[in-house]
Amino acid sequence: MLLFSIFGNPVTHSISPRLHNSVLNALDIDGCYVRKAIIEPETLLPTFHAMGLTGANVTVPHKEAAYEQCDEVRGLAKEIGAVNTLVKEGSRVIGYNTDAEGFYEAIKSFGLIQNALILGAGGTAKAIAIILKEHGIETTILNRSASRLAFFEAKGFTCNTGETFTCKRYDLIINTTSAGLKDEEYPCDEGLLKALFQEAKFAFDVIYNKPTPFLKLAQNFQLTCKDGKEMLLFQGVLAFNLFFSKHYDVKTIESLMRPAFEL
Ligand code: NDP
């Protein structure tokens, strides 16, 4: 039997086992996807080997540790500096990042985007900024504090804090902060957000389990809006595809994973 796991802390809330097990069952694969809380980051790869895993996903707060520990990092993960998918290849463990492409799949339905503003500068913002750059979308970062901006500055992004930012027109506004996750906060000043939405076409929030104040405000401005559900779905679809060396068609995986996602 093939064994897969989600690694993170906490992992009790993770729907990854449900998503992946539904596809394993539907494809009649002798495999099982479980949850494993990892407290000490340095135990990540040793745990992967001790459990005899074929593949794993990594969530908060261990994506950077996974990047450091795998034998080889491939694709955009190299530039992002974070890994959310681990795949056993012979005796080696290869790291990938499917959050970035998962995000891009989720915004494809928006249509033409020339420029974007990312609110927040954490791990998710890094993945999103890199994939937007990859697709030629001019991207600006706005974070409440300057301390996390160095990564983005080094990669040539325009970076601002609230103090240095001047409002201009962006097609897409993305919330990657955790503002609104467990509270009713906006990710930046409400007046600024209104001015941005007045000019924008699309709004995306990476938070997926509730209608956030950010998205509710965007809807008031008649913007085309999306929460983080599709991003989560597509990162899972792309991870499953990597677990099986791209043997299955992405559309097939998506069609099998989506019903479990919507339960
Ligand atoms: P990080 O902790 O790496 O970064 C959080 C960022 O949010 C920082 O820039 C921080 O600013 C900012 N921030 C936090 N609280 C506030 C606030 N009240 N007001 C303004 N800015 C704030 O988090 P991640 O990037 O790992 O995760 C961010 C969100 O993305 C989470 O809600 C997570 O659930 C979601 N997520 C969704 C995924 C999906 O598939 N849909 C995938 C991965 C994550 P500062 O630097 O000043 O502290």
Side-chain angles (χ1 to χ4, degrees), residues 101-143:
E101 285 176 54
F103 168 79
Y104 196 73
E105 282 298 319
I107 62 160
K108 268 187 182 165
S109 63
F110 282 166
L112 183 69
I113 299 164
Q114 282 175 328
N115 64 357
L117 177 68
I118 299 179
L119 305 174
T124 312
K126 286 181 187 171
I128 290 177
I130 296 296
I131 194 84
L132 289 174
K133 185 171 134 197
E134 185 82 2
H135 288 274
I137 298 171
E138 189 201 321
T139 302
T140 300
I141 317 295
L142 172 58
N143 197 41

Side-chain angles (χ1 to χ4, degrees), residues 13 23-24 32 62 71 108 135 143 164-165 181 200 216 220:
H13 67 285
V23 187
L24 290 169
C32 184
H62 298 315
D71 296 304
K108 268 187 182 165
H135 288 274
N143 197 41
T164 59
F165 185 75
L181 182 65
K216 284 193 242 170
N220 291 346

Side-chain angles (χ1 to χ4, degrees), residues 60 63 99 120-125 143-145 148 176-179 181 185-187 206-208 228 231-232 235:
V60 178
K63 292 181 191 180
D99 286 332
T124 312
N143 197 41
R144 66 177 173 185
S145 62
R148 299 198 211 214
T176 72
T177 78
S178 21
L181 182 65
E185 281 184 41
Y186 290 116
V206 297
I207 295 171
Y208 49 83
M231 177 178 171
L232 186 67
Q235 67 75 29

